[in-house]
């Protein structure tokens, strides 16, 4: 009785944001849209907290068989340890960004287009995290892609339109590769349910081909190093709330799918050579992304390149997964949460700086710490997490990864992690250094900008520190369940 | 036996279509052609699914057909969004080009060749 009540609540994760989207589409008044959105975001946080606490307390995944049609005919929604953490993170970051967006947009026209798309995006994110059927995941992935592209496009500048078009092409190609993988799997095994495929999966040529196509497609969507070319433009030209959710969550959704395929569904075909190759791409992403972030001329471009670099860490975990799966899994989940909160808060504060100053050219941002203390404070706090300094969540995640690499006897990853941390501190201190220097001539910046909407971002920045301070409790909880 | 060859024929078509689509996507710089190439790739994948429906010679599996139908809907939505974006970009490029030519006209008062419709 009790568990079935929780199981049915999984359906709320998909229906509530969808209802919010439709209401935001139908309602005319901007104010009502804002109140509705904040209300729905708060309710979703409560639901996700309740579900996560149930999953972690009872140590069993929640399942909802839609319409009581059991697989292989029906579709199953599953909420295990990994996905409940992802859902919790999505709902909290979603609330922070929702709150921020209620004060962000300068024109009502833009804002009225923003809210319905925003809720479609949240629906699709929740859908990816609870879906346990590879074709259903494809649908959610496409919804996610279309909503993200439209959200970038509502910015309306020529650059944003071009970036969103490029993102659309890459996104469509990526999900088509994924669909090809799904088609091959269906042809080989005749089922679509994650668990059933995992039971049937064998090491044969068609499974290898399917995993290769899915990996290629998801690499495009995650912006792993050689296929990252679309990300900096797309993420830096969108409006601040959109950049925040794209960098913090949308990329992680593609990573989540990829991770599941490699280490839960098609595990028999995973070879040491394949994971090492992925790990090398991750290492290259760390170095290249950090370098480009260091030379980036604009603040938001810098933060976007930092995402390219940080995604690399998640892929460096792949070769470690084969040796020490349990600890690495914890490290990956920890890293996703730490990076998600930090990057969302960082993009929001960068957005406030851009709004207040009117541009985000780094060279002209000297001395803004005086005018925008809260934004720079948030930027600094989240920087500690991205660099991996204690006591932030990023530190714990990197520490776990370093430990694993040493345990696995693969010291070269340790070197990469250290270089990555150094480069991250180089490009982030570059911003902080500029923010605190006194400009030579009397400042041209005339900044009278309210920072009160940054409260949500400040909350996220505090979360990155809290998850660092409560590390032992959190890691043991994730490790016991995931 | 006939069904076997049918399935293989579909697979062969899928491979050829996939090659055409990928080549078209990677080698053209025209962004409308890229969108069309994506649609061709989509068709190739639907062919693979249709071939999967014929795996068992005694019964046709309906599930891949449902998947293809859903896929077509998604592809149509994606293409519509792409075309809309493309037309906005072209409009933007035209208006900027128009402004530029107006400025140049003022500056030089000289005749110049109008390169209309050349957008990239």
């Amino acid at each position: 009785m009790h568990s079935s009540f929780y199981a049915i609540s999984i359906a709320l994760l998909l229906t509530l944001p969808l209802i919010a989207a439709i209401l935001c589409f139908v309602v005319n008044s901007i104010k009502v849209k804002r109140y509705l959105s904040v209300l729905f975001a708060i309710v979703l946080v409560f639901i996700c907290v309740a579900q996560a606490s149930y999953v972690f307390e009872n140590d069993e995944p929640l399942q909802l068989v839609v319409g009581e049609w059991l697989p292989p005919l029906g579709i199953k929604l599953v909420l295990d340890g990994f996905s409940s953490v992802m859902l919790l993170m999505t709902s909290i970051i979603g609330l922070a960004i929702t709150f921020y967006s209620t004060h962000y947009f300068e024109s009502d026209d833009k804002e009225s287009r923003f809210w319905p798309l925003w809720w479609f995006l949240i629906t699709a994110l929740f859908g990816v995290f609870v879906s346990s059927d590879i074709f259903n995941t494809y649908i959610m992935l496409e919804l996610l892609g279309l909503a993200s592209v439209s959200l970038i496009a509502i910015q309306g500048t020529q650059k944003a339109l071009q970036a969103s078009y490029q993102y659309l092409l890459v996104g469509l190609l990526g999900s088509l590769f994924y669909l090809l993988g799904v088609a091959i799997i269906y042809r080989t095994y005749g089922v679509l349910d994650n668990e059933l495929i995992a039971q049937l999966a064998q090491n044969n040529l068609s499974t290898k081909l399917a995993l290769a196509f899915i990996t290629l497609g998801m690499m495009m969507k995650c912006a792993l190093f050689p296929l990252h070319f679309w990300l900096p433009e797309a993420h830096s030209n969108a409006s601040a709330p959109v950049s925040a959710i794209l960098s913090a969550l949308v990329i992680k959704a593609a990573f989540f799918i990829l991770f599941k395929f490699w280490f839960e569904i098609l595990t028999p075909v995973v070879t040491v050579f394949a994971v090492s190759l992925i790990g090398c791409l991750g290492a290259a992403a760390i170095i290249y992304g950090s370098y480009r972030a260091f030379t980036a001329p604009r603040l938001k471009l810098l933060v976007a390149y930092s995402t390219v670099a940080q995604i690399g860490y998640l892929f460096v975990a792949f070769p470690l997964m084969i040796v020490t799966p349990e600890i690495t899994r914890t490290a990956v989940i920890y890293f996703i949460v730490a990076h998600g909160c930090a990057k969302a808060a960082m993009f929001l504060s960068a957005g406030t700086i851009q709004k207040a100053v009117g541009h985000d050219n780094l060279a002209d941002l000297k001395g803004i710490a005086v005018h925008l203390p809260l934004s720079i404070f948030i930027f600094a706090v989240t920087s500690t997490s991205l660099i991996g300094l204690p006591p932030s969540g990023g530190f714990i995640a990197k520490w776990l990864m370093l430990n694993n690499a040493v345990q696995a006897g693969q010291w070269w990853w340790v070197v990469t992690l250290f270089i990555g941390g150094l480069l991250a501190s180089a490009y982030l201190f570059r911003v902080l250094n500029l923010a605190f220097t006194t400009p030579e001539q009397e400042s041209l910046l005339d900044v009278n900008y309210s920072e009160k909407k940054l409260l949500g971002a400040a909350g996220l920045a505090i979360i990155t520190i809290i998850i660092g301070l409560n590390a032992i409790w959190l890691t043991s909880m994730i490790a016991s369940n995931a | 036996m006939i069904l076997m060859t049918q399935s293989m024929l579909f697979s062969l078509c899928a491979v050829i279509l996939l090659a055409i689509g990928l080549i078209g996507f990677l080698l053209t710089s025209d962004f409308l052609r890229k969108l069309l190439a994506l649609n061709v790739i989509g068709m190739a994948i639907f062919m693979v699914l249709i071939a999967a429906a014929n795996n068992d010679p005694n019964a046709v599996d309906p599930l891949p057909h449902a998947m293809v139908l859903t896929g077509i809907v998604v592809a149509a939505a994606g293409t519509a969004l792409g075309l809309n974006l493309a037309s906005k970009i072209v409009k933007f490029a035209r208006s900027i080009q128009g402004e530029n030519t107006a400025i140049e006209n003022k500056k030089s008062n000289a005749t110049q060749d109008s390169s209309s419709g050349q957008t990239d």
Side-chain angles (χ1 to χ4, degrees), chain B residues 22-104:
Chain B
L22 275 180
I23 290 169
F25 186 80
L26 295 175
L27 294 189
T28 54
S29 56
D30 186 307
F31 57 79
L32 281 180
R33 283 191 186 197
K34 275 188 192 280
L35 199 62
L36 289 179
L38 277 177
N39 273 291
V40 174
I41 296 173
M43 289 306 142
I45 294 160
F46 298 153
M47 280 290 199
V48 177
L49 281 169
I50 293 170
N54 263 340
N55 252 359
D56 179 5
N58 296 317
V60 176
D61 183 359
L63 199 58
H65 294 123
M67 280 153 66
V68 170
L69 272 179
T70 320
I72 288 174
V73 173
V74 172
T79 312
L81 179 61
L83 289 176
N84 193 354
L85 279 176
S87 79
K88 283 246 167 69
I89 292 170
V90 169
K91 240 183 238 169
F92 243 114
R94 288 230 172 101
S95 69
I96 287 169
Q97 206 173 30
E99 276 169 26
N100 285 349
T101 35
I103 293 166
E104 277 173 39

Side-chain angles (χ1 to χ4, degrees), chain A residues 135 138-139 142 146 149-150 153 156-158 161-162 164-165 168-169 172-173 176-177 179-180 183 186-187 192, chain B residues 7 11 25 31 34-35 38 41-42 45 48-49 51-52 55 61 63-64 67 70 74 78 81-82 85 89 92 96:
Chain A
F135 188 73
Y138 163 72
I139 301 297
E142 282 283 23
L146 294 182
V149 168
S150 317
T157 60
Q158 196 193 10
L161 284 173
Q162 277 168 348
S164 68
Y165 193 79
L168 177 77
L169 290 181
L172 281 179
L173 187 64
L176 282 175
F177 276 139
L179 185 62
L180 186 56
Y186 186 76
R187 208 177 174 178
L192 291 169
Chain B
S7 175
S11 307
F25 186 80
F31 57 79
K34 275 188 192 280
L35 199 62
L38 277 177
I41 296 173
I45 294 160
V48 177
L49 281 169
N55 252 359
D61 183 359
L63 199 58
M67 280 153 66
T70 320
V74 172
L81 179 61
L85 279 176
I89 292 170
F92 243 114
I96 287 169

Side-chain angles (χ1 to χ4, degrees), chain A residues 82-93:
Chain A
F82 194 175
S83 45
S84 60
V85 173
M86 296 299 280
L87 288 171
L88 195 58
M89 177 179 85
T90 309
S91 64
I92 290 173
I93 294 177

